[in-house]
Amino acid sequence: MTGTIETPVVAERLVKRFGSFTAVDDVSFRIARGEIVGFLGPNGAGKSTIIRMLCGLLRPSEGRARVAGFDVAREPERVRENIGYMSQKFSLYTDLTVAENLRFFGGIYRVPRAVLPERMGFAVEMAGLRHRENMLVSTLAGGWKQRLALGCAILHRPPILFLDEPTSGVDPESRRRFWDLIHDLSADGVTVLVSTHYMDEAEYCNRVALIDRGRLIEMASPSALKQHTLGGDLLVVECEGMGTAMAALHEAPGVRDVAAFGNSIHILVESAGAALAALPDYLAGCGVRVTRIEQIKPTIEDIFVQMIGAEARAEGPRP
Amino acid sequence: MRSRRLQAVAVKEVLQIWRDPISLMIALLMPFMQMILLGYGVSLDVKHLPICVFDREASQNSQALLKRFQASEYFSIVAGFDNYRDVTRALDRGLCRLVVVVPTDFTERLTDTGRSAVQALVDATDDNTANIAIGYAQAVVTGFSSTVLIEASALAGSTVAVLQPIAAQSRVWFNEDLESRNFIIPGVVALVMALVGAQLTSLTISREWERGTMELLVSTPVTPMELMLGKLLPYFAIGLLDAVFCLAFAVFWFDVPFRGTLMTLFFTTSLFLTVVLGIGYLISTGIRRQVGAAQIGLLVTLLPTTLLSGFAFPIDQMPPAVQAVTYIVFARYYVTILKAVFLKGSGILDLTAPILAMIIYAGIIAFLAARAFRKRLD
Ligand SMILES: Nc1ncnc2c1ncn2[C@@H]1O[C@H](COP(=O)(O)OP(=O)(O)O)[C@@H](O)[C@H]1O
Ligand SMILES: [Mg+2]
């Protein structure tokens, strides 16, 4: 039935307003079966709001969405039978044990009693919680809790998973393990929509959607994003006197964009060769001592920063 | 509706009650406390009893507690001491009937364990007054510690219960002979049901909101009806259990006659529980914060039950306007039934009018409760 739907998630011109504030602004996309799509964007971008609308938790102010073939506004109950959801805030029962939580969700999703022990065993194994079945969830560390939440969300084998910042606040090793699990699920045909504000996690996704201030800016595979959208070569500059250097680089010939990245500066130039030849002298002339300048491969974060900058310039200042 | 989902919710709820000491205490200890307080509070009116205090800690908390004693109508602080010798002398000379001693580690134990002891030294020459004085002193301390507990546990995000000093109402009845106990005790069953029912259920939904578990619950296929029934069923069972306890206590401890049938009592108690639990649930769906929900729960169930049900104050002695108001107080019908079942041995057929009124009430509340909870976040 639902397994045969090739486009299990379709959003058409979704809008969500809270009072006069528009949290999600005209967002459309489609997700194919078995795809892993990452929603990337800073806090407050509107990722959670989009996901909540897709789960039928919030009613869209405008536009429509179909999940597993069902309209999220008109048939939310049918949608709910076909999805697994991990909310941004950890929301299992911390005063229940691991097994009690699993049994609860098994009951709520009416997992047949005959297969429930096996499914629970799988979830426990997956979360790495063997021998901890009888521990209260409140006593578990972050990574375990997160994996248990995923275990509860997939107990009923939903064809579609919505994971809202599942890895936030979890250590890097646990994050990596979590993504392995997501890939295993996707290999089984599960469609996964996952939001994150860790830009590096974009690389784990088949496609990423860049979201900023309620708008979907771009949606493509990580490699396509890097190839097509930057429109130039990327250099990293390390130097003393970041402020002066950034001001100078903005004026420099052949430089399209300048952005601070921690202790270094990333600049977008028309051609790496020309810039590498000219910029050290130019910066020295401005009184900046350069300790490192070289071409680098762009990360998703570079793309994101550049795109948001382009949007803002095109639009002018937003009220 | 699916029984499987209903069952999952009910089992979860039972586990949560079982692991929450405050819920357990309300469910199991409250009936006992009320029976004792009201059963013994019947024979004397204590007002402005002279007491002395010995504050060994002299902290903000101990001062606040003593202020409560001073503010209550039952006590007047006539002297403060700083050693046990003066305390003994005051008691011997009859300067006061009760001395409240706040220990040096009062605040420390309160913040560490959530409970703390206050010593009360009593002149027990008049046994009855002494007992009542202790009862009231306990009520004052309970009132105080529940305030502290509410603040502390609201911060910790756990279940909050409001243990109001029930004795606040008891003073008015009295100066009557012991027969008045027979008149009042049956009504205590209603009070216990109202208190336990509204207290526990008014938190069930708000707790899910506060802990963030509601968002996940809403994303599952569970229906509002399954959620409501699954959540209320365990409390219904607790309510019936408490009713049995109250009945046994009334009959075997206080020697109140029970002339009716268990069947009648069970049937009418179920109706009353339906109303009280339904109201608690309605409040809980409307108010997402536990403290607020608990307080409103008390306000709409306990208050009318104590004041306007005829439980202690006979309705026919009230002013006509107030009498008219009592007709909308659902507890009125239950108290009428209880008294008739206990003292007159009335059966269901003798009580058609109040039972019908309760059925209508229960129907309306159940209808509203079933529609109250929407599975949406906005
Ligand atoms: N229930 C709500 N009422 C009002 N504003 C909201 C509500 N939920 C979210 N918002 C606002 O909508 C914007 C997007 O929020 P959210 O979707 O949570 O962003 P993200 O998940 O990307 O961090 C934020 O500015 C947030 O304050
Ligand atoms: Mg979010």
Side-chain angles (χ1 to χ4, degrees):
Chain A
M1 30 148 261
T2 48
T4 59
I5 293 179
E6 285 311 312
T7 318
V9 182
V10 182
E12 282 166 12
R13 315 210 62 165
L14 277 181
V15 175
K16 181 67 190 180
R17 280 184 283 267
F18 296 110
S20 62
F21 174 71
T22 306
V24 174
D25 188 3
D26 197 10
V27 166
S28 306
F29 57 87
R30 300 167 152 262
I31 302 178
R33 194 170 95 86
E35 239 191 326
I36 302 176
V37 169
F39 272 30
L40 243 66
N43 276 332
K47 305 180 294 292
S48 298
T49 307
I50 296 174
I51 291 177
R52 284 173 171 159
M53 284 192 283
L54 295 177
C55 295
L57 301 178
L58 291 175
R59 184 176 273 275
S61 308
E62 277 173 39
R64 338 186 291 134
R66 292 176 79 78
V67 169
F70 301 107
D71 188 287
V72 296
R74 270 181 277 137
E75 298 176 282
E77 294 309 322
R78 303 306 301 275
V79 169
R80 284 173 188 139
E81 284 167 11
N82 287 285
I83 63 167
Y85 173 52
M86 260 179 84
S87 64
Q88 180 169 354
K89 184 169 177 264
F90 178 78
S91 51
L92 297 184
Y93 295 95
T94 51
D95 50 353
L96 263 52
T97 66
V98 169
E100 286 162 356
N101 267 290
L102 286 166
R103 213 169 291 125
F104 173 69
F105 285 100
I108 289 287
Y109 283 109
R110 298 197 296 133
V111 175
R113 284 183 207 277
V115 299
L116 186 58
E118 177 218 315
R119 298 267 181 96
M120 282 175 62
F122 172 78
V124 163
E125 206 62 46
M126 178 201 83
L129 283 166
R130 192 124 71 104
H131 306 307
R132 289 190 171 80
E133 290 94 332
N134 295 321
M135 276 173 72
L136 285 183
V137 169
S138 57
T139 62
L140 297 178
W144 274 324
K145 277 189 192 164
Q146 230 83 3
R147 289 194 295 269
L148 177 63
L150 180 65
C152 288
I154 62 167
L155 213 53
H156 56 299
R157 300 271 158 90
I160 303 158
L161 271 178
F162 293 108
L163 311 175
D164 195 357
E165 301 207 10
T167 55
S168 74
V170 173
D171 63 272
E173 166 61 21
S174 294
R175 277 170 59 193
R176 206 188 44 70
R177 261 189 82 176
F178 198 91
W179 277 99
D180 285 343
L181 295 173
I182 293 176
H183 276 270
D184 292 346
L185 289 166
S186 153
D188 290 340
V190 176
T191 307
V192 184
L193 194 165
V194 50
S195 78
T196 178
H197 64 257
Y198 296 116
M199 298 287 170
D200 59 320
E201 291 188 339
E203 315 281 347
Y204 297 122
C205 303
N206 301 127
R207 279 194 300 157
V208 292
L210 304 182
I211 307 206
D212 182 50
R213 289 175 294 178
R215 314 256 300 261
L216 194 155
I217 297 171
E218 183 65 82
M219 187 165 177
S221 71
S223 53
L225 269 183
K226 286 179 204 166
Q227 273 171 18
H228 298 303
T229 51
L230 217 47
D233 295 331
L234 195 68
L235 303 187
V236 60
V237 179
E238 283 171 15
C239 59
E240 284 160 17
M242 289 257 296
T244 323
M246 284 187 67
L249 284 166
H250 271 296
E251 308 299 325
V255 174
R256 292 203 174 135
D257 202 12
V258 183
F261 267 72
N263 294 327
S264 54
I265 304 168
H266 288 194
I267 55 175
L268 186 66
V269 296
E270 277 153 21
S271 136
L276 283 171
L279 281 179
D281 289 342
Y282 171 81
L283 283 171
C286 300
V288 174
R289 208 165 68 82
V290 176
T291 52
R292 175 185 167 217
I293 180 165
E294 59 186 321
Q295 187 172 6
I296 52 167
K297 280 191 183 156
T299 65
I300 291 292
E301 195 162 4
D302 291 306
I303 311 285
F304 198 64
V305 166
Q306 208 260 333
M307 291 193 114
I308 291 174
E311 277 259 315
R313 278 193 295 275
E315 250 172 49
R318 260 165 78 128
Chain B
M1 195 159 78
R2 299 290 182 169
S3 62
R4 180 81 191 281
R5 289 198 286 249
L6 195 157
Q7 188 194 335
V9 175
V11 168
K12 181 213 75 147
E13 206 67 22
V14 168
L15 288 168
Q16 288 189 309
I17 299 170
W18 183 244
R19 299 220 171 96
D20 178 21
I22 295 180
S23 289
L24 264 189
M25 204 176 80
I26 294 179
L28 304 178
L29 234 56
M30 215 42 144
F32 181 75
M33 275 167 55
Q34 299 218 20
M35 274 284 175
I36 294 280
L37 277 173
L38 297 176
Y40 283 113
V42 188
S43 56
L44 192 74
D45 186 1
V46 174
K47 243 184 183 175
H48 300 295
L49 188 78
I51 61 167
C52 300
V53 295
F54 177 9
D55 186 358
R56 303 184 64 192
E57 191 187 56
S59 69
Q60 212 173 347
N61 268 326
S62 67
Q63 287 296 321
L65 173 68
L66 294 178
K67 267 216 192 79
R68 287 242 178 173
F69 274 94
Q70 182 68 352
S72 86
E73 306 179 39
Y74 318 121
F75 302 110
S76 307
I77 297 179
V78 292
F81 301 118
D82 55 16
N83 61 68
Y84 273 112
R85 200 158 33 85
D86 288 350
V87 166
T88 320
R89 197 179 305 150
L91 278 173
D92 285 346
R93 286 193 308 194
L95 180 63
C96 58
R97 303 292 293 271
L98 178 94
V99 182
V100 178
V101 183
V102 183
T104 48
D105 58 356
F106 177 70
T107 300
E108 191 184 309
R109 283 174 57 182
L110 196 64
T111 43
D112 279 352
T113 64
R115 66 195 67 190
S116 193
V118 174
Q119 196 182 8
L121 305 173
V122 194
D123 171 2
T125 41
D126 175 353
D127 239 312
N128 217 346
T129 311
N131 277 338
I132 292 161
I134 289 179
Y136 287 152
Q138 261 161 2
V140 172
V141 174
T142 308
F144 176 75
S145 57
S146 70
T147 314
V148 175
L149 268 180
I150 290 164
E151 286 167 6
S153 53
L155 285 177
S158 77
T159 294
V160 165
V162 183
L163 313 173
Q164 295 294 4
I166 303 309
Q169 277 94 30
S170 37
R171 74 198 145 79
V172 208
W173 303 321
F174 322 114
N175 308 326
E176 289 181 30
D177 53 58
L178 270 179
E179 293 294 304
S180 65
R181 191 177 274 167
N182 289 353
F183 173 73
I184 283 169
I185 293 275
V188 178
V189 181
L191 205 67
V192 170
M193 297 291 108
L195 187 76
V196 172
Q199 279 278 280
L200 293 175
T201 51
S202 63
L203 302 177
T204 58
I205 296 286
S206 47
R207 184 166 49 204
E208 306 256 6
W209 282 117
E210 237 175 63
R211 294 185 185 171
T213 49
M214 186 54 90
E215 176 152 358
L216 200 52
L217 212 49
V218 173
S219 82
T220 72
V222 72
T223 67
M225 193 58 131
E226 290 157 358
L227 194 65
M228 178 179 85
L229 294 181
K231 273 179 167 292
L232 294 188
L233 227 54
Y235 297 107
F236 194 82
I238 289 174
L240 285 183
L241 214 78
D242 284 344
V244 171
F245 170 81
C246 288
L247 175 68
F249 209 80
V251 172
F252 296 114
W253 186 265
F254 286 122
D255 289 328
V256 177
F258 182 76
R259 304 194 172 99
T261 64
L262 285 175
M263 172 55 204
T264 318
L265 188 70
F266 174 80
F267 176 65
T268 52
T269 302
S270 300
L271 278 178
F272 186 67
L273 272 174
T274 307
V275 175
V276 184
L277 298 186
I279 289 181
Y281 185 81
L282 272 173
I283 293 167
S284 194
T285 55
I287 300 174
R288 292 188 181 182
R289 311 243 6 130
Q290 291 191 58
V291 179
Q295 273 156 2
I296 297 207
L298 278 179
L299 209 69
V300 303
T301 54
L302 189 64
L303 221 57
T305 305
T306 359
L307 299 176
L308 297 174
S309 69
F311 138 68
F313 318 103
I315 290 176
D316 52 19
Q317 288 169 26
M318 296 175 182
V322 179
Q323 282 194 32
V325 173
T326 63
Y327 283 99
I328 60 164
V329 176
F330 58 94
R332 171 207 165 113
Y333 305 103
Y334 185 49
V335 168
T336 308
I337 293 168
L338 282 172
K339 287 184 178 172
V341 174
F342 266 84
L343 305 176
K344 288 195 276 183
S346 308
I348 292 181
L349 290 181
D350 308 312
L351 298 165
T352 27
I355 286 181
L356 254 161
M358 277 180 62
I359 288 179
I360 292 171
Y361 230 112
I364 293 173
I365 296 290
F367 177 77
L368 291 178
R371 297 169 51 101
F373 180 62
R374 298 278 184 91
K375 281 186 68 190
R376 280 202 186 279
L377 300 178
D378 55 354

